[in-house]
Amino acid sequence: MSLTLTVTGDRWRTHLRAVAAANPGIVPVAKGNGYGFTLGRLARKAQWLDDQGLGVDTLAVGTYDELPHVAQRFGGDLLVLTPWRPFGAALEVDPSLADRVVHTVSRVEDVTALLARQPDARFVLEQVTTMLRHGLTSRELWAVAPILADHPGARLEGIAMHLPLAQGSHLSQVDRLLNDVVASGLSTTTVWVSHLTPDELTQLRSSWGDFTIRPRIGTDLWLGDRGALSVTATVLDVHEVERGDVFGYRGRTAPKHGHILVVSGGTAHGIGLEAPTGDGSLKARAATLARGGLDAVGFVRSPFSIDGKQRLFAEPPHMQASMLFLPHGAHVPAVGDQVDVRVRYTATAFDRVVVD
């Protein structure tokens, strides 16, 4: 009756150990929906990696609201990736976690505000990159040094860099940013980085041997071996229809003889909800236009596969179930059968996660 993520446990755990071993100082990232696994499960797996002797002493979460989901399941430090601001959830951190939480600070005025509230706060300073999302410019970074000199109890844990996913090698940009760190006079030799390749990390460690590199890794860690993961939905009902038969919330009519299949998984799970694509190629644009054309006439390809083919939605997905149209001649699953589903893990909420 469920939309289920099934994990081949031994294969997944082997992958997790391999990634952690290949990335000294790794900081696993657990945020959002926990990459489909849930935040709690990822926190427990991060603790397991540390128990394996792999040096996982810090877990990164996306927001302050996610801290309660992981704090009792992982015993190390907790890095919050969303920059600290003098309002909202950032001011409501459980006092018992104050010494474990490492804040991210991306504005000069927030350095002053954070230390006014917590003089011994632990934090990283985020530098602005070509992502242009959050961060201090080189001039602003230099302005922080005298502030910290006036707060001897402040605990600067390093510099953070959130780099783009694409745009080729990032090493020249990282070199420039690290030169700014050295020039600023800040007392730190630790850099927390996102989205560097293994080769880039190796070159960075070679070029900046006096710096400690802490790679923050989410997708490549948890979802890096897709062969260990499978998603299935349960067939809940099957209805044979003839051309013109009415069905669904909106009173649509069957285009021809076939079957309406009702399967688990709907908008509450993220099925049928699509984020903007990051692929700007001509092929991707053509596919978008083709989907738009199908949508205009009421036929939209679903993520549910039967006989190796992604089948069409019969109508827009419901909250917890979807209706598919199978044309005459296609294999018709029975009620209770499982069908494969292709999903975006970071945008899908599963009813069940089964680690075998």
Side-chain angles (χ1 to χ4, degrees):
M1 305 291 287
S2 307
L3 184 70
T4 303
L5 168 61
T6 301
V7 184
T8 304
D10 286 344
R11 179 170 173 175
W12 188 51
R13 288 186 289 270
T14 297
H15 168 75
L16 298 183
R17 283 194 297 264
V19 173
N23 291 276
I26 187 173
V27 180
V29 177
K31 61 182 181 179
N33 69 339
Y35 295 84
F37 296 94
T38 73
L39 294 173
R41 180 174 280 103
L42 295 191
R44 288 192 296 271
K45 273 292 169 281
Q47 183 61 59
W48 173 79
L49 286 171
D50 191 48
D51 293 342
Q52 298 282 302
L54 291 166
V56 178
D57 61 5
T58 305
L59 177 68
V61 296
T63 68
Y64 287 93
D65 290 307
E66 292 168 353
L67 288 171
H69 297 280
V70 303
Q72 299 304 315
R73 297 174 173 90
F74 177 78
D77 294 335
L78 301 169
L79 171 68
V80 182
L81 299 176
T82 296
W84 187 90
R85 294 288 186 264
F87 49 77
L91 307 184
E92 300 168 3
V93 175
D94 187 332
S96 68
L97 299 179
D99 202 50
R100 294 174 59 193
V101 171
V102 180
H103 306 279
T104 296
V105 182
S106 63
R107 302 189 307 171
V108 175
E109 58 266 41
D110 289 342
V111 175
T112 302
L114 173 60
L115 295 179
R117 291 182 59 87
Q118 186 183 348
D120 64 345
R122 303 175 66 192
F123 59 96
V124 296
L125 295 173
E126 183 162 349
Q127 288 179 281
V128 68
T129 70
T130 52
M131 273 275 290
L132 210 61
R133 189 162 72 172
H134 310 293
L136 298 154
T137 65
S138 59
R139 187 178 297 275
E140 290 170 333
L141 196 67
W142 300 337
V144 172
I147 298 174
L148 298 188
D150 292 334
H151 292 80
R155 290 180 283 176
L156 174 61
E157 302 286 348
I159 301 297
M161 302 176 188
H162 197 118
L163 298 158
L165 287 169
Q167 301 180 6
S169 175
H170 299 307
L171 286 179
S172 60
Q173 181 177 183
V174 174
D175 283 339
R176 175 180 59 79
L177 293 170
L178 285 178
N179 278 316
D180 287 340
V181 174
V182 173
S184 72
L186 290 167
S187 179
T188 185
T189 56
T190 300
V191 57
W192 310 65
V193 293
S194 300
H195 305 147
L196 287 183
T197 67
D199 286 344
E200 287 174 330
L201 286 168
T202 298
Q203 293 180 57
L204 185 62
R205 289 189 172 101
S206 176
S207 300
W208 294 85
D210 53 342
F211 271 73
T212 299
I213 309 301
R214 304 293 310 265
R216 302 177 301 198
I217 303 178
T219 302
D220 288 346
L221 177 63
W222 309 119
L223 302 175
D225 185 357
R226 296 300 175 93
L229 313 175
S230 62
V231 180
T232 54
T234 306
V235 177
L236 303 176
D237 250 314
V238 180
H239 306 285
E240 187 172 5
V241 291
E242 300 293 339
R243 178 185 176 91
D245 284 353
V246 178
F247 66 88
Y249 276 130
R250 297 160 180 82
R252 291 191 174 188
T253 56
K256 55 185 175 181
H257 179 211
H259 289 81
I260 297 295
L261 214 66
V262 184
V263 296
S264 57
T267 56
H269 302 91
I271 298 295
L273 307 180
E274 187 173 5
T277 178
D279 189 347
S281 67
L282 289 176
K283 181 179 179 180
R285 293 176 185 178
T288 299
L289 289 172
R291 288 195 300 271
L294 287 171
D295 196 14
V297 295
F299 294 96
V300 179
R301 187 171 63 176
S302 81
F304 301 92
S305 293
I306 299 170
D307 285 344
K309 296 181 179 179
Q310 283 184 253
R311 298 300 177 173
L312 298 178
F313 282 121
E315 70 169 0
H318 306 168
M319 182 174 284
Q320 293 181 312
S322 294
M323 301 179 77
L324 313 177
F325 178 74
L326 288 181
H328 177 69
H331 167 68
V332 182
V335 171
D337 283 354
Q338 302 295 306
V339 299
D340 293 330
V341 194
R342 183 178 180 181
V343 300
R344 184 175 177 181
Y345 290 88
T346 54
T348 305
F350 299 102
D351 294 309
R352 301 178 66 208
V353 178
V354 178
V355 181
D356 62 20

